[in-house]
Amino acid sequence: MEIRNIAIIAHVDHGKTTLVDRIIEAGESFSERDRENAGELMMDNNDQERERGITIVSKNVSVNYKGTKINIIDTPGHADFGGEVERVLNMADGVCLLVDAFEGPMPQTRFVLQKALQLGLKPLVVVNKVDKDNCTPDEVHEKVFDLMFELEANEDQLDFEAVYGSAKNKWMSKDWKKPTDTIEPLLDTILEYFPPVDIKEGNTQMLITSLDFSSFVGRIAIGRLQRGTIKPGMPIILTKRDGTQEKHRIKDVFVYEGTERIKVDSVQPGDICAVTGIDGFDIGDSICDAENPEPLETITIDEPTMSMMFSINDSPFFGQEGKFVTSRHIQERLTKELEKNLALRVQQTEKADKWLVFGRGVMHLSVLVETMRREGYELQVGQPQVIIKEVDGKKHEPIEELTIDLPEQFSGTAVEAVSRRKGEMTNMVAKGDRMIIDFIVPSRGIIGLRNYLLTQTAGEAIMNHRFIEFQQYKGEIPGRQNGSLISMEKGSAIPYSLNNLQDRGKFFVNPNEAIYGGQVIGENSRQGDLVVNVTKTKKMSNMRSSGADDKISIAPAIKMSLEESLEYIQSDEYVEVTPESLRVRKIILDEGARKRAGK
């Protein structure tokens, strides 16, 4: 059977996962009964992916179409999960570059396309969402060509084909002005455009480019068999990244059929497969022939750019909501995460109950924290810090390319906000009544920027950024202007007290919510922290006074998501994360001790 291995790459929200779903439906083996929940994407198979509407982990599926097996790799579009994209492109023979017909190429499009072109892959351009109002498919086609030219694509890569359509409405066509009623034109183009996998003569060679973890069989190695054979029970040599070789025996071999993994007796060269029974492997290791091993070139993974302090929950409400609260539980969970999360690093600190966790960005780390709280863990996390490197005795920090798309009247606000954070504007383009502005800005400056811009633009701003390189340290960046309102005592927030203190700032707690001393219960309307007592009740006397019992109206509490809380906190604060609640607190709860530490 002929095989095609195709990766689908695009910017976040351009419709990769929807397209993969439509391709599975077009395959011969699919029936509507396979879909568990109507209206949901089959590929987004964990809760966070469904809620956030993004792909976090790359996934493999296969479709049989006209007697050819098409392996499809769905990749994440978000910059924080860029490590996933780089690895899985090594399994592909070609890429489908998906571009939104209205937005055109975006920062992440550039990032994933650059990786694909460097690997020598030829892209097939799919212009999606051509049913949108005011979209310009022909212009977008030109922009993709310009982008490829800019990224130094060779002549063969520049001679790309384009397919237009709407994955949501289940159609694709060579001409966007002539809609069809099926997605088959895209599949036909894939079969014509990408030649069958070229299999070289020789013994077994497979590069491990992805891994999975199962509590029954342990770690599962996933990769593409370049040549030779792989069978259950076969002895092999595992060649590590540093060149050392280990003897192993394969237990079971699986290939992908639809969304399932099927156990097989042998794998056809060129196919993507999963192998169990090998211990101690890492991404980038090679599975080679036992007699005459010839390892493949290894792959590198980008370094982390951000760190966060994780510690056990030691607040007065410790252990009330979570199942796993001790340092042993958290240590085991972080070690388990390292098995499959490649861009993550964990470093033990001097204290047994604190760990420094390194990742690719706030979102990368917050997905881990959110997963842990859903599994029943309680923990505290500190303010995200960027990684500073020493180069030739000088401090260097990560620099990112930032694109902000927002209504024209707010463009001044965005430029001012980014300039304050040591950013430099590189380009500004008007598109209809919106402005698209490009900046070069330190990673530190992006923390907390999204919240500020969403507030200033009434939720209209769209922000995208990607890591470029380390550059010399740009100097101090001013932090949050407003101080915190801190609770004085443990108790519950009394509506009477909240009402009296409303002019002091905005509150994060609802009336009658349980609070403790040292918890940050609101944002001060001025600079500096303010300790307030919201557990004080009204004096009860038998004397009537005019207007004493007027109806009080309390502004609703601000409830921040985990990412917003992480971007909000200062260096002397923690976010307390439990399965039920998110609270912001001071690291030192006692007011006297805080003042002494401040001196």
Side-chain angles (χ1 to χ4, degrees):
M1 186 188 265
E2 280 191 2
I3 294 173
R4 307 281 194 281
N5 297 318
I6 308 296
I8 295 201
I9 58 173
H11 184 75
V12 82
D13 263 354
H14 280 195
K16 293 179 295 300
T17 305
T18 310
L19 181 65
V20 175
D21 265 44
R22 298 292 174 256
I23 293 174
I24 297 169
E25 287 170 17
E28 290 159 9
S29 56
F30 178 79
S31 80
E32 271 298 329
R33 291 198 302 272
D34 297 353
R35 192 184 286 278
E36 287 176 24
N37 299 346
E40 284 198 345
L41 295 173
M42 284 180 281
M43 299 301 291
D44 284 348
N45 56 9
N46 74 38
D47 292 344
Q48 284 203 62
E49 289 189 321
R50 289 197 192 106
E51 286 165 28
R52 292 170 184 256
I54 59 170
T55 304
I56 293 171
V57 186
S58 60
K59 304 178 189 67
N60 303 26
V61 292
S62 80
V63 192
N64 282 340
Y65 181 71
K66 294 188 177 173
T68 302
K69 181 176 184 182
I70 305 176
N71 282 316
I72 293 165
I73 307 159
D74 182 22
T75 62
H78 212 281
D80 285 21
F81 311 110
E84 289 276 331
V85 184
E86 292 166 54
R87 298 196 330 263
V88 297
L89 285 177
N90 280 280
M91 293 195 276
D93 303 300
V95 291
C96 275
L97 176 72
L98 205 65
V99 188
D100 186 306
F102 179 74
E103 291 184 348
M106 297 289 279
Q108 198 61 19
T109 314
R110 185 189 193 98
F111 171 76
V112 290
L113 181 60
Q114 191 170 9
K115 297 283 176 198
L117 293 175
Q118 283 167 357
L119 288 168
L121 299 173
K122 190 173 177 181
L124 165 67
V125 175
V126 181
V127 181
N128 192 23
K129 306 191 185 184
V130 298
D131 51 340
K132 266 189 176 180
D133 295 339
N134 304 330
C135 67
T136 51
D138 295 331
E139 264 182 48
V140 167
H141 185 276
E142 288 298 312
K143 282 184 187 164
V144 173
F145 183 87
D146 293 345
L147 176 63
M148 284 201 198
F149 187 75
E150 215 177 296
L151 294 174
E152 298 174 359
N154 60 35
E155 280 185 26
D156 185 42
Q157 288 169 329
L158 285 171
D159 182 23
F160 62 86
E161 272 196 40
V163 179
Y164 303 88
S166 164
K168 191 178 173 187
N169 296 333
K170 307 187 185 183
W171 68 270
M172 285 285 157
S173 167
K174 286 285 182 80
D175 182 353
W176 65 277
K177 294 178 184 120
K178 296 177 187 164
T180 60
D181 54 1
T182 167
I183 203 149
E184 288 181 2
L186 171 64
L187 295 172
D188 292 332
T189 309
I190 287 175
L191 297 189
E192 292 161 24
Y193 186 70
F194 296 111
V197 177
D198 179 29
I199 308 299
K200 295 182 177 68
E201 288 295 310
N203 55 26
T204 305
Q205 265 190 338
M206 175 177 141
L207 184 70
I208 300 172
T209 46
S210 192
L211 56 86
D212 204 346
F213 186 80
S214 151
S215 46
F216 300 108
V217 294
R219 298 172 85 186
I220 302 169
I222 300 170
R224 177 176 139 201
L225 180 61
Q226 299 283 3
R227 60 180 207 199
T229 55
I230 282 189
K231 292 179 179 170
M234 168 177 154
I236 53 112
I237 293 274
L238 179 72
T239 307
K240 307 284 285 179
R241 199 179 265 269
D242 57 6
T244 55
Q245 298 187 335
E246 298 173 2
K247 287 185 177 176
H248 289 274
R249 189 174 289 276
I250 286 170
K251 188 166 178 250
D252 290 318
V253 181
F254 302 84
V255 296
Y256 290 88
E257 250 180 54
T259 52
E260 301 292 314
R261 268 207 289 254
I262 310 289
K263 198 183 277 193
V264 288
D265 294 332
S266 71
V267 180
Q268 187 180 340
D271 204 349
I272 292 173
C273 62
V275 176
T276 63
I278 306 173
D279 291 328
F281 66 82
D282 286 308
I283 302 289
D285 294 353
S286 295
I287 293 176
C288 312
D289 185 71
E291 301 297 319
N292 183 18
E294 293 176 25
L296 288 154
E297 196 179 323
T298 185
I299 46 179
T300 56
I301 292 152
D302 277 7
E303 290 292 302
T305 57
M306 204 159 272
S307 72
M308 226 150 67
M309 179 69 77
F310 280 45
S311 80
I312 60 164
N313 185 9
D314 59 2
S315 82
F317 292 164
F318 148 84
Q320 291 182 6
E321 296 168 0
K323 283 190 294 193
F324 308 112
V325 293
T326 64
S327 58
R328 180 177 62 86
H329 285 136
I330 295 172
Q331 172 83 51
E332 282 172 3
R333 180 65 184 82
L334 289 174
T335 309
K336 185 178 153 198
E337 187 66 26
L338 288 172
E339 294 272 316
K340 58 180 189 292
N341 196 337
L342 295 177
L344 202 74
R345 309 265 185 285
V346 177
Q347 187 182 318
Q348 192 75 45
T349 60
E350 288 135 28
K351 295 189 174 153
D353 57 1
K354 285 188 167 61
W355 303 265
L356 258 182
V357 181
F358 299 87
R360 288 290 290 270
V362 176
M363 189 169 195
H364 182 203
L365 293 166
S366 75
V367 165
L368 167 63
V369 176
E370 182 63 39
T371 309
M372 286 173 71
R373 78 179 272 213
R374 288 176 187 212
E375 290 169 2
Y377 287 84
E378 274 192 22
L379 67 154
Q380 292 178 158
V381 287
Q383 187 187 31
Q385 304 283 347
V386 300
I387 295 168
I388 306 285
K389 278 187 179 175
E390 282 268 323
V391 183
D392 304 330
K394 290 181 180 161
K395 284 204 293 187
H396 281 62
E397 64 173 335
I399 300 291
E400 309 213 13
E401 184 184 320
L402 167 72
T403 302
I404 302 175
D405 172 353
L406 78 181
E408 198 172 348
Q409 68 264 34
F410 299 116
S411 55
T413 312
V415 173
E416 186 196 354
V418 180
S419 304
R420 263 208 317 270
R421 291 167 150 85
K422 306 283 188 231
E424 296 167 25
M425 187 169 82
T426 55
N427 194 16
M428 195 173 194
V429 183
K431 194 170 186 184
D433 56 355
R434 293 179 77 86
M435 271 290 183
I436 295 170
I437 319 172
D438 296 335
F439 299 93
I440 300 288
V441 61
S443 297
R444 291 177 298 146
I446 293 175
I447 300 173
L449 182 63
R450 191 185 305 265
N451 275 356
Y452 175 76
L453 286 179
L454 286 176
T455 313
Q456 295 296 326
T457 61
E460 288 265 356
I462 301 167
M463 238 178 79
N464 293 294
H465 53 92
R466 67 180 189 99
F467 169 71
I468 317 172
E469 60 181 358
F470 277 83
Q471 284 183 14
Q472 214 163 320
Y473 189 72
K474 304 278 188 220
E476 286 303 313
I477 291 177
R480 190 176 85 217
Q481 297 297 312
N482 298 17
S484 305
L485 294 177
I486 305 161
S487 169
M488 191 185 284
E489 293 177 15
K490 188 176 175 181
S492 60
I494 305 294
Y496 167 76
S497 294
L498 288 175
N499 180 49
N500 286 346
L501 290 163
Q502 280 198 102
D503 55 345
R504 292 292 190 178
K506 302 171 187 159
F507 283 98
F508 303 154
V509 292
N510 286 313
N512 301 319
E513 197 175 306
I515 54 173
Y516 54 81
Q519 182 180 338
V520 175
I521 54 169
E523 182 181 283
N524 191 355
S525 52
R526 298 194 173 93
Q527 290 185 355
D529 293 345
L530 182 67
V531 180
V532 293
N533 184 2
V534 291
T535 59
K536 199 164 60 177
T537 53
K538 184 177 155 187
K539 278 201 187 76
M540 294 294 175
S541 72
N542 56 3
M543 295 291 286
R544 286 193 181 179
S545 60
S546 65
D549 284 331
D550 282 350
K551 207 181 249 181
I552 58 172
S553 61
I554 298 172
I558 297 168
K559 290 291 175 190
M560 293 189 283
S561 69
L562 176 62
E563 261 149 72
E564 288 168 344
S565 305
L566 290 172
E567 292 190 344
Y568 177 80
I569 58 174
Q570 304 277 38
S571 54
D572 65 338
E573 292 167 350
Y574 275 152
V575 179
E576 178 190 343
V577 182
T578 70
E580 309 285 319
S581 347
L582 289 172
R583 301 183 190 95
V584 178
R585 53 159 285 186
K586 288 288 175 188
I587 294 178
I588 303 170
L589 293 177
D590 180 61
E591 189 190 347
R594 260 202 317 276
K595 282 182 176 163
R596 286 195 294 278
K599 286 173 186 170

